[in-house]
Amino acid sequence: MKLASHLWQSRHGIYYIRYTYCGLDIKRSLKTRDPLIAKSFAYKLGINMTNPNDILAKLLRSEINTKTWSLKTPDLEMQTDGTEEDHSRAMEALALLFQNKHTIAKTDITPVVTSNQSWTLDQCIQDYRSERNSSVKPRTRQAWDTDFRQLITGLDAATHIANIGPDRYAAWRMEAVDLLAPSSQDTKNNVYKNFFDWCIERKRCAINPVVSLKLSKNIRAELQMERGKERFPYDVNDLNKIFDSKVRTEIKKPCLYWMPLLALYTGARAEELAAIEINDITEYETGLWQMRFKKGKTIASLRTIPIHPEIINAGFLDYVDDVKRKWPNAVTLFPYMKPVKGRLTHRFSQDYGLFRNNLGLLTGKDFHSFRTTLIGCLIKNKAHHEIKRAYVGHENEGKRDEHDKSYGDKTPFSASEIATDIFPKIDYQYSHKFVMPSQSPYNKGRFNRYFDSALKRG
């Protein structure tokens, strides 16, 4: 066969030629990082044979000593180009084949399985997780439970790790991974790629079989829209239901009362809001307040932003005082929230889902929809692009000017600058035809009974 199709590149960039001969999987370095040179070598060393011993022996003993030669038999065709390097590589390949042929001819037994092949997929996964679990978040470990269970189910726990090649992985991937949204495909493929890299580093296998599905930008966008989790923004009817004064009066939990309002005017994710610390709510100018997010999905999520007047006018600072008074050791705004597998909002997500269903909101409109709604409002009202990104905690898109990079990253927008540009653009009446229903002022001590009960529960 033509061995150009069997080129393999190591993680160091070196190309290897791989082929199977009499049951053995043979790999030899081509000692180059140039793909064109590697391809040329692969064709020149193209082998599809059982080689006649006499010709091989002559070549290896250099009885055929010209550097430029052509060799053709019913079983072998090879040609050198006259260079010292090409001749040397040809001799090296012939020596290896000659050695393998004689070894197999003298022993009528199955080739001994190498130590690399003794490691099963299940053993490697267990060892990998034992080593890595302590260095990743609980939520990642939870996702790995599913990811590796799928890998074991598809490729068989008892499979030797060294026997899992790109073709086998690609065949399984088509059924188990390719049907997902592209962003989910990337996540899973990265998990498996890191796992096999770990196996290579520990010499349990020679190659990383993970082959990603290559999609054009347009196809990727279409599949993401088709298969991804749909999240719709809230419309005026949804917002009127959520912030109806009667509905809010009946809310029993502080998080259900405050987090939707905070999300509507900050665009923050649920976990970001749940992790806000009381001491990170500070006055930056007389009568003007800001909040600092220390936990986020990305680096850009770690930000300090001014608090919108609607939040202050709703009595938010009175609530903060209630928490300090009733829960002296409280660190966060909602101190009764306990992490479940690393997530403070595990129970809140269930509560908000029930709250949303009781209001009759459509599937696809969840807590994250507040973020989508605010961003849509800012875009429609033409907020300054970079300040908008700083406010909602979005990563920068595209390539920045070199001066922007040195200036902007070191000098973030101040709370005053953000408030001046962003607050006038958070105009839901213009973007959504929504006006916040008049609310009864927050009564200090409203959630005291809930705090007392939570403290008793511990």
Side-chain angles (χ1 to χ4, degrees), residues 297-400:
K297 184 178 180 181
T298 64
I299 295 298
S301 301
L302 311 180
R303 63 200 187 279
T304 300
I305 63 172
I307 302 177
H308 195 279
E310 282 285 353
I311 298 173
I312 300 297
N313 294 339
F316 179 65
L317 297 179
D318 288 336
Y319 169 74
V320 174
D321 288 340
D322 280 349
V323 176
K324 291 178 180 179
R325 181 171 48 84
K326 290 296 293 182
W327 209 301
N329 297 323
V331 175
T332 62
L333 282 177
F334 311 104
Y336 56 87
M337 283 186 167
K338 305 299 181 185
V340 177
K341 295 183 178 179
R343 293 182 62 224
L344 287 169
T345 55
H346 179 82
R347 179 61 186 271
F348 171 78
S349 297
Q350 298 172 343
D351 290 339
Y352 187 78
L354 182 61
F355 174 77
R356 178 199 63 192
N357 292 340
N358 289 339
L359 293 178
L361 302 186
L362 296 176
T363 302
K365 294 186 176 183
D366 54 17
F367 191 84
H368 198 85
S369 295
F370 288 115
R371 180 174 176 82
T372 307
T373 303
L374 174 71
I375 292 172
C377 173
L378 293 175
I379 292 173
K380 189 165 186 178
N381 294 333
K382 296 180 172 57
H384 184 282
H385 183 66
E386 289 301 322
I387 299 182
K388 170 179 69 69
R389 300 183 73 78
Y391 187 71
V392 301
H394 264 160
E395 294 284 358
N396 183 67
E397 289 180 346
K399 194 173 183 180
R400 301 182 66 178

Side-chain angles (χ1 to χ4, degrees), residues 59 79 131 141 153 156 166 213 239 243 246 254 256 287 336 361 367 435:
L59 288 170
Q79 182 175 353
E131 181 178 315
R141 294 198 294 270
T153 301
D156 189 359
L213 181 62
L239 295 173
F243 295 104
K246 182 179 179 182
L256 276 175
Y336 56 87
L361 302 186
F367 191 84
V435 178

Side-chain angles (χ1 to χ4, degrees), residues 89-107:
R89 294 191 191 285
M91 294 301 101
E92 182 182 356
L94 288 170
L96 177 66
L97 289 170
F98 185 62
Q99 176 184 352
N100 290 338
K101 179 177 177 61
H102 275 273
T103 300
I104 295 170
K106 293 177 182 179
T107 57

Side-chain angles (χ1 to χ4, degrees), residues 210-256:
V210 176
V211 181
S212 300
L213 181 62
K214 303 298 182 182
L215 299 171
S216 70
K217 186 175 180 180
N218 291 339
I219 294 297
R220 183 182 178 85
E222 290 177 9
L223 290 178
Q224 187 65 38
M225 288 287 291
E226 176 185 330
R227 301 173 183 175
K229 182 178 180 180
E230 291 186 287
R231 281 176 171 147
F232 302 105
Y234 289 124
D235 59 29
V236 61
N237 293 326
D238 301 325
L239 295 173
N240 279 326
K241 290 178 181 179
I242 294 169
F243 295 104
D244 178 80
S245 58
K246 182 179 179 182
V247 169
R248 287 177 63 74
T249 300
E250 295 174 353
I251 292 175
K252 298 294 189 289
K253 291 187 176 183
C255 57
L256 276 175

Side-chain angles (χ1 to χ4, degrees), residues 123-136:
Q123 288 173 322
C124 291
I125 289 175
Q126 290 183 34
D127 292 347
Y128 175 73
R129 297 201 62 177
S130 295
E131 181 178 315
R132 294 290 312 281
N133 274 353
S134 62
S135 64
V136 298

Side-chain angles (χ1 to χ4, degrees), residues 241-284:
K241 290 178 181 179
I242 294 169
F243 295 104
D244 178 80
S245 58
K246 182 179 179 182
V247 169
R248 287 177 63 74
T249 300
E250 295 174 353
I251 292 175
K252 298 294 189 289
K253 291 187 176 183
C255 57
L256 276 175
Y257 185 89
W258 285 111
M259 285 179 61
L261 186 67
L262 289 167
L264 183 66
Y265 287 99
T266 67
R269 303 170 180 91
E271 196 71 15
E272 294 171 2
L273 293 170
I276 291 177
E277 297 183 3
I278 292 174
N279 292 336
D280 287 326
I281 298 171
T282 57
E283 198 172 19
Y284 67 91

